[in-house]
Amino acid sequence: MSIKDMKTNYNEIKEFAALSNASRRNFLIGSGGLVVGLTLPFNKLALATGDGIKASQQMNAWVTIDPSGLVTIASPNAEMGQGTMTAMPLILAEELDADWSKVVVKQVGPTSKEYGNPFFGGIVHTVASLTTAALFDKVRLAGAQARLFLLERAAKHWKIPVSQLKTDTGFVIHKTSNKRISYGELVTLSREGDKIPVVKKSDLKKTNQYKLIGKNVPRVDIPIKVDGTAEFGMDVVVPGMVHASIIRAPMHGATVKSFQNDNKGEIAKAIKLIKLPYGVAVLAKDLELVLSARKNIEVIWNFPKAGRKYNSETALKEYVKISEDKNVKGVTWWKPYFPQAIKGKKGYLQSALSDSKLTKLSATYQTEHTYHGQMEPMNATALVDKSGKKAEIWAPTQAISVTTFAAAGILKTSPQNIKVNTTFLGGGFGRRAQVDYVVDAVLLSKITKQPIKVVWTREDDVVGGAFKPNSAMHIDAAFDSKGKIEAWSHRTVSESPLKFYAPKLLGKKGEDILVMSGAEQLQYNISAQSADHVIQDNGTRLAPWRGIGHGQNKFASECFMDEIAVSLKLDPASFRLNSANNPRTKAVLEKVIKMSGWGKKKNGVAQGIAYSDYNGSHSAGVAEISLDRKSGKIKVEKYFIAIDAGLAILPDNILAQIEGAVIYGISAALTEKITHKEGIVEQSNFHDYEVMRMSEVPEISIEIIEGADRPSSVGELGLPTVGPAISNALFQLTGKRARTLPMTQDFIKELIMV
Amino acid sequence: MNSINVKVNGKFKKVEVIEEATLLWTLREKLGLKGTKFGCGAGLCGACTVHVNGKPVRSCQISAESIVGKSVTTIEGLSKLGDHPLQKAWVQEQVPQCGYCQSGQIMRAAGLLKKTKSPSRKEIVAYMSTNICRCGTYNRIISAITAAAKEV
Ligand code: FES
Ligand code: FES
């Protein structure tokens, strides 16, 4: 295959990866509500098989029961520490009324339509904290349907009506006689006359009937994560496997001009080199040989001219100017997500912003690129078969269906011919929503006709990272003397991750939800508001990052809420409470005010508050910080956070997720930044990209409120309040406003000196 | 390629390694002990922590050659049944999230408990700050070490 072919393929891959047939409309707009009377297609074989066989029976795509009573539940989503592998099966087991001690969870590929996430057009895609939230009804139905099926079996067997039966923890029981039959035994009975039951809403459990949900069932993946046996992508071994490491282009779009191989003798003989459009791959059986040999290869690159001009810190200054320039026209944020964009009488927003009776305030905020820094560097293993039209892939990926599309794109075949084995992920945080590492492995396996495992080094992972965009946010508001906000206009100037890796998911005018999520202030009483974005393109690699658009947008809006409060001499917490239009918003605010003992000031320690919603969930955080004025070092002493993500399936796991996100957020707020010079990333490993260590971790207090009877997003929810709460606390401490993330020591030193 | 004799988890093994082979890749690739993880390859994260003669070291930073005549313990050899007090405490406190850093964390913690029987929070923090957990399980690690210290 020539380089030209590969290039064409590479573009196709990007198209495919983008495509993921997720229609724009479905993205983030959930089906909501319960689909009553929906039947899940039973496995045809299960219905057709004869009497009393000893085989297990597949109830539907999600659940299989065997004669011993073992219940196998499918887990199609990526387990990256968020607990999906426990939470989803648990919901199913709840409706099935299964004995949890007999449940086995099985990681499966995207092999059934039933596994698809309605938020993403029906593909299997584990991102944006939308797995449990979106699939809750589906797995409940699957569990309830299997339970009804077993009830009907028992009714047929005992020749009594279903109405006289009930279930309890793996058994069907005759209510009056207490006669019992286990689920396992029922599976072995005659399958004649089996029908696919239709689940009615009344067949589902009420919240007060839950036996597993909300009970802190331990996570199923934890025991194998303490003895070294959990298999991550990095641990995959396939017979005959060849290792590969790629000297990757240091800048997106750069191509290999030439390269020189200084390996000699034995080593030169043991390795094989393959030139790809975006790098030089070094292959050998022995991974360490590969890693060592690649140090002796020098690549000369062709750099794209435009990308070479990118200096991220200068660019950000430019974004700040653009955000403040009223002559630049932005793209209005999407109506479906942001009904308030059109709220109020036409023209009211502008007239309020220039109403002389109202107080006006404006401010501009900025955030820099950040890197995901997941502990497991990118990697993937692929085996393309002899025909070149079929492949098996082992990958730690959040983009499970997209992996099949990407591989199919390279092999010019159908996604059905691609088998994906999702391993455990050593962290995802949005980085693994892309499939560049899968592309590496599939391309090389296609060329070599051998099973290939591609391993990125940490340096590859940083330099070839896909970052959170550089962003500038400008807000203008007008409010009255009591703090009633009449007008609020928000602009974000930033690069667009969707434009980079999934342009088909952009809105008609280029709207990017990954830039704009959180720019809407839906939970505050604001008479008229608008948000728009101005997209910049500097040819850098971009990705969603934990918290998505909420990270930068809530940093701006929640600092700004404080600025309004201060300008009116109002208490920032009461001001938010009085502005809140939603009881769940009020509840988390009230809770965190109580938890943190809000308002008390101690020597050298100050508090700051922030609120954020996220996809129907709510959070309010209070940061308690101290400052070493000499070094400019901020220390978060305590963080209090109250969250409401509706029904808490695994409360202890929610605490873990929130705690992790708070730490991720503090780390980003204080130290993390990626800078580009002439288009090339300047950082390379954890010495110059510092992430939080145990020594910096504050005491974290979390309280959970269950404000709804269904679950909403958790994984991102702990993050958005952190940056603004710290900045707001800094203002309380110093009277200086940090409108920049990260608040590095140098930045703070300069800020407090002025 | 060099042929060296190593003692890992109580067993003697002969392995073929390249000249500059590190202990990390030797364990993972030559001995199939995949529980020891590659995180940074630069001595910065601690994911690759194992014990050499009972002391925690970063296996990415030492050569395979250097362990000849010494005894190496990896997460697979920490206990027979995965029931070392630290492992039990790790399950009890539900520490791991993604889990990728945890072998290194546990091996590091085991090194701490060998040295200090019941470490204070401060001692734990000082000793464990060598190891990164990007999922942010730090506070649970502290609780688990404290709980395990009572058992040892
Ligand atoms: S892999 Fe050895 S310290 Fe990071
Ligand atoms: S549990 Fe994921 S890095 Fe520690």
Side-chain angles (χ1 to χ4, degrees):
Chain A
M1 179 159 92
S2 73
I3 294 293
K4 204 177 132 263
D5 285 342
M6 260 186 256
K7 253 192 195 154
T8 340
N9 267 338
Y10 190 58
N11 287 333
E12 269 170 29
I13 298 152
K14 282 191 58 181
E15 290 285 313
F16 255 95
L19 201 115
S20 59
N21 68 32
S23 85
R24 207 184 299 132
R25 240 158 260 291
N26 278 331
F27 189 67
L28 288 187
I29 308 177
S31 54
L34 183 66
V35 193
V36 182
L38 177 94
T39 55
L40 293 154
F42 262 78
N43 181 311
K44 291 257 160 47
L45 267 178
L47 283 183
T49 322
D51 289 358
I53 53 155
K54 293 268 172 288
S56 57
Q57 185 164 17
Q58 184 169 13
M59 300 275 138
N60 49 47
W62 294 91
V63 57
T64 301
I65 302 180
D66 86 358
S68 74
L70 215 60
V71 177
T72 305
I73 304 179
S75 178
N77 276 285
E79 177 57 69
M80 49 192 151
Q82 85 281 36
T84 192
M85 186 178 249
T86 309
M88 302 299 289
L90 191 84
I91 296 164
L92 191 149
E94 182 72 73
E95 288 298 345
L96 174 59
D97 211 354
D99 177 350
W100 183 249
S101 69
K102 294 204 168 142
V103 169
V104 173
V105 179
K106 190 168 159 217
Q107 182 82 44
V108 294
T111 47
S112 164
K113 268 200 187 126
E114 297 305 323
Y115 302 150
N117 188 321
F119 275 106
F120 303 113
I123 63 167
V124 181
H125 202 57
T126 318
V127 299
S129 312
L130 282 171
T131 303
T132 312
L135 292 172
F136 182 61
D137 288 334
K138 256 197 191 178
V139 289
R140 280 172 92 198
L141 280 170
Q145 187 192 44
R147 181 177 158 273
L148 284 187
F149 180 82
L150 293 164
L151 277 168
E152 279 164 19
R153 258 282 166 85
K156 206 169 55 181
H157 179 58
W158 285 333
K159 301 193 175 61
I160 41 182
V162 169
S163 60
Q164 291 182 16
L165 303 176
K166 62 175 186 181
T167 58
D168 188 14
T169 329
F171 285 89
V172 173
I173 298 166
H174 183 218
K175 285 180 197 165
T176 47
S177 72
N178 252 335
K179 194 157 62 165
R180 300 156 71 84
I181 182 165
S182 75
Y183 287 3
E185 216 180 321
L186 283 167
V187 165
T188 65
L189 298 177
S190 167
R191 297 181 181 189
E192 229 182 272
D194 279 350
K195 280 197 306 283
I196 300 171
V198 175
V199 182
K200 296 187 298 300
K201 201 170 177 174
S202 57
D203 293 321
L204 295 170
K205 284 190 182 175
K206 311 260 171 320
T207 316
N208 62 9
Q209 294 173 307
Y210 290 152
K211 296 185 212 162
L212 297 168
I213 289 176
K215 298 295 184 293
N216 279 333
V217 169
R219 270 180 34 209
V220 297
D221 54 332
I222 283 187
I224 53 171
K225 287 179 174 175
V226 306
D227 65 6
T229 57
E231 188 176 69
F232 295 85
M234 202 57 103
D235 307 329
V236 167
V237 177
V238 174
M241 182 171 90
V242 173
H243 283 98
S245 173
I246 300 172
I247 305 166
R248 318 185 75 80
M251 180 200 289
H252 180 61
T255 52
V256 179
K257 190 177 192 177
S258 61
F259 64 91
Q260 188 177 325
N261 176 10
D262 289 333
N263 287 296
K264 305 250 150 37
E266 291 281 288
I267 298 183
K269 258 188 252 151
I271 59 170
K272 179 174 180 168
L273 303 180
I274 295 175
K275 189 171 151 189
L276 297 169
Y278 54 89
V280 176
V282 185
L283 289 80
K285 282 265 174 201
D286 187 314
L287 173 57
E288 202 154 26
L289 183 73
V290 168
L291 296 176
S292 151
R294 74 173 263 189
K295 292 182 194 142
N296 302 321
I297 297 164
E298 195 169 353
V299 184
I300 312 287
W301 305 97
N302 285 313
F303 289 110
K305 279 210 185 64
R308 214 47 179 152
K309 293 205 194 89
Y310 186 54
N311 292 308
S312 55
E313 292 186 305
T314 332
L316 188 52
K317 289 193 187 116
E318 199 50 41
Y319 297 3
V320 166
K321 277 196 210 132
I322 296 169
S323 77
E324 291 166 351
D325 186 345
K326 299 279 180 276
N327 294 318
V328 176
K329 227 182 128 25
V331 172
T332 305
W333 182 224
W334 239 338
K335 280 183 210 161
Y337 303 125
F338 192 13
Q340 263 78 343
I342 48 162
K343 193 185 154 183
K345 274 177 251 121
K346 217 171 179 218
Y348 181 74
L349 182 85
Q350 280 319 315
S351 71
L353 282 174
S354 51
D355 185 341
S356 60
K357 289 190 289 300
L358 297 171
T359 308
K360 288 358 145 277
L361 197 66
S362 312
T364 308
Y365 304 85
Q366 50 185 302
T367 63
E368 297 204 41
H369 289 298
T370 47
Y371 161 62
H372 300 84
Q374 74 302 323
M375 284 308 292
E376 180 192 22
M378 296 298 125
N379 65 82
T381 305
L383 171 55
V384 176
D385 84 351
K386 293 265 154 6
S387 72
K389 296 286 173 206
K390 273 190 180 169
E392 184 162 4
I393 295 167
W394 296 260
T397 182
Q398 297 175 251
I400 296 160
S401 294
V402 179
T403 289
T404 65
F405 306 146
I410 297 171
L411 303 177
K412 300 202 167 64
T413 186
S414 123
Q416 273 82 354
N417 291 329
I418 312 296
K419 182 174 176 208
V420 184
N421 304 283
T422 312
T423 63
F424 281 120
L425 283 65
F429 310 118
R431 177 61 179 90
R432 290 193 154 98
Q434 297 183 12
V435 293
D436 37 359
Y437 44 97
V438 172
V439 168
D440 291 347
V442 175
L443 274 179
L444 290 172
S445 182
K446 179 182 172 171
I447 296 168
T448 60
K449 314 238 165 7
Q450 285 174 302
I452 299 289
K453 178 171 178 182
V454 172
V455 170
W456 293 32
T457 63
R458 176 60 61 186
E459 289 79 8
D460 295 337
D461 202 271
V462 177
V463 176
F467 309 109
K468 181 178 167 195
N470 239 347
S471 315
M473 282 70 54
H474 180 79
I475 304 176
D476 290 303
F479 43 89
D480 69 16
S481 58
K482 291 199 193 77
K484 172 79 210 325
I485 305 167
E486 288 301 322
W488 178 296
S489 127
H490 178 122
R491 162 169 291 183
T492 299
V493 180
S494 117
E495 303 108 14
S496 162
L498 277 186
K499 190 172 171 196
F500 169 65
Y501 80 95
K504 294 208 167 140
L505 298 178
L506 288 167
K508 277 204 192 80
K509 295 190 190 123
E511 297 92 333
D512 183 349
I513 187 164
L514 303 179
V515 169
M516 290 307 279
S517 85
E520 64 282 2
Q521 312 306 325
L522 300 183
Q523 321 297 344
Y524 291 138
N525 274 316
I526 295 174
S527 304
Q529 58 174 306
S530 73
D532 64 21
H533 67 23
V534 182
I535 295 299
Q536 303 292 300
D537 190 350
N538 293 301
T540 44
R541 296 189 182 93
L542 303 158
W545 196 87
R546 199 171 191 174
I548 315 190
H550 283 66
Q552 65 266 20
N553 291 317
K554 291 301 178 199
F555 173 63
S557 64
E558 283 298 304
C559 286
F560 194 73
M561 282 298 280
D562 248 54
E563 300 208 37
I564 297 179
V566 167
S567 79
L568 292 169
K569 299 200 168 55
L570 296 171
D571 169 62
S574 326
F575 172 58
R576 283 178 175 79
L577 264 179
N578 292 335
S579 304
N581 60 18
N582 179 327
R584 293 175 72 186
T585 299
K586 285 193 179 142
V588 289
L589 280 165
E590 275 161 0
K591 181 64 108 191
V592 86
I593 288 169
K594 209 163 151 217
M595 287 162 66
S596 63
W598 175 257
K600 59 171 193 240
K601 258 197 191 151
K602 280 168 268 163
N603 251 356
V605 175
Q607 292 182 327
I609 192 168
Y611 161 82
S612 179
D613 57 346
Y614 181 87
N615 278 341
S617 295
H618 303 265
S619 67
V622 167
E624 208 169 287
I625 68 159
S626 64
L627 172 68
D628 176 22
R629 284 170 196 261
K630 252 204 222 122
S631 64
K633 189 176 156 107
I634 293 173
K635 172 107 180 41
V636 180
E637 305 282 350
K638 288 183 184 166
Y639 202 85
F640 303 91
I641 182 164
I643 67 116
D644 174 358
L647 178 69
I649 310 290
L650 297 168
D652 181 62
N653 186 51
I654 293 179
L655 297 180
Q657 280 301 298
I658 297 296
E659 180 151 340
V662 165
I663 289 171
Y664 207 81
I666 299 175
S667 185
L670 299 183
T671 63
E672 293 181 30
K673 68 168 161 178
I674 287 285
T675 53
H676 294 69
K677 199 167 176 196
E678 295 181 356
I680 294 175
V681 175
E682 293 186 288
Q683 292 70 24
S684 64
N685 206 321
F686 292 124
H687 64 289
D688 51 11
Y689 190 86
E690 284 184 59
V691 302
M692 189 183 262
R693 291 173 185 274
M694 194 183 275
S695 50
E696 299 303 314
V697 170
E699 205 180 302
I700 300 170
S701 311
I702 307 162
E703 294 225 22
I704 298 173
I705 296 173
E706 292 182 278
D709 60 5
R710 39 188 307 114
S712 49
S713 298
V714 172
E716 328 279 334
L717 183 63
L719 194 120
T721 61
V722 175
I726 297 174
S727 172
N728 293 338
L730 185 78
F731 180 81
Q732 291 300 322
L733 200 59
T734 63
K736 301 284 167 143
R737 204 38 91 180
R739 299 193 182 92
T740 295
L741 288 185
M743 297 176 256
T744 59
Q745 291 182 217
D746 286 346
F747 168 75
I748 295 296
K749 258 199 291 193
E750 212 166 288
L751 181 81
I752 57 180
M753 256 164 40
V754 198
Chain B
M1 288 276 170
N2 293 341
S3 177
I4 56 171
N5 282 305
V6 296
K7 187 185 175 197
V8 180
N9 297 333
K11 289 196 192 95
F12 288 94
K13 291 262 161 73
K14 189 173 178 160
V15 285
E16 299 278 315
V17 295
I18 61 162
E19 212 158 301
E20 58 268 53
T22 59
L23 177 56
L24 167 67
W25 293 117
T26 304
L27 290 170
R28 288 183 51 84
E29 299 298 325
K30 301 292 155 88
L31 296 166
L33 296 167
K34 302 276 186 182
T36 303
K37 298 296 190 233
F38 164 64
C40 68
L44 297 163
C45 74
C48 63
T49 305
V50 299
H51 292 188
V52 173
N53 285 351
K55 288 215 177 65
V57 297
R58 294 164 184 223
S59 62
C60 72
Q61 293 301 295
I62 63 172
S63 70
E65 203 93 36
S66 74
I67 61 147
V68 174
K70 295 180 184 161
S71 160
V72 178
T73 310
T74 68
I75 185 76
E76 292 88 351
L78 182 66
S79 64
K80 278 220 172 68
L81 301 165
D83 58 354
H84 184 280
L86 282 165
Q87 289 169 311
K88 284 199 282 182
W90 243 247
V91 173
Q92 182 60 37
E93 300 293 324
Q94 296 276 292
V95 175
Q97 287 187 28
C98 83
Y100 196 78
C101 74
Q102 300 295 346
S103 299
Q105 304 279 6
I106 292 171
M107 294 311 284
R108 180 86 190 157
L112 171 63
L113 292 190
K114 278 192 181 165
K115 202 171 69 90
T116 316
K117 265 209 144 32
S118 32
S120 66
R121 186 187 169 98
K122 232 177 152 182
E123 285 170 314
I124 295 174
V125 170
Y127 195 83
M128 295 298 296
S129 287
T130 50
N131 285 44
I132 296 173
C133 173
R134 188 58 165 159
C135 298
T137 65
Y138 297 119
N139 283 338
R140 288 189 182 211
I141 290 176
I142 299 173
S143 316
I145 295 176
T146 312
K150 291 187 186 126
E151 294 255 319
V152 189

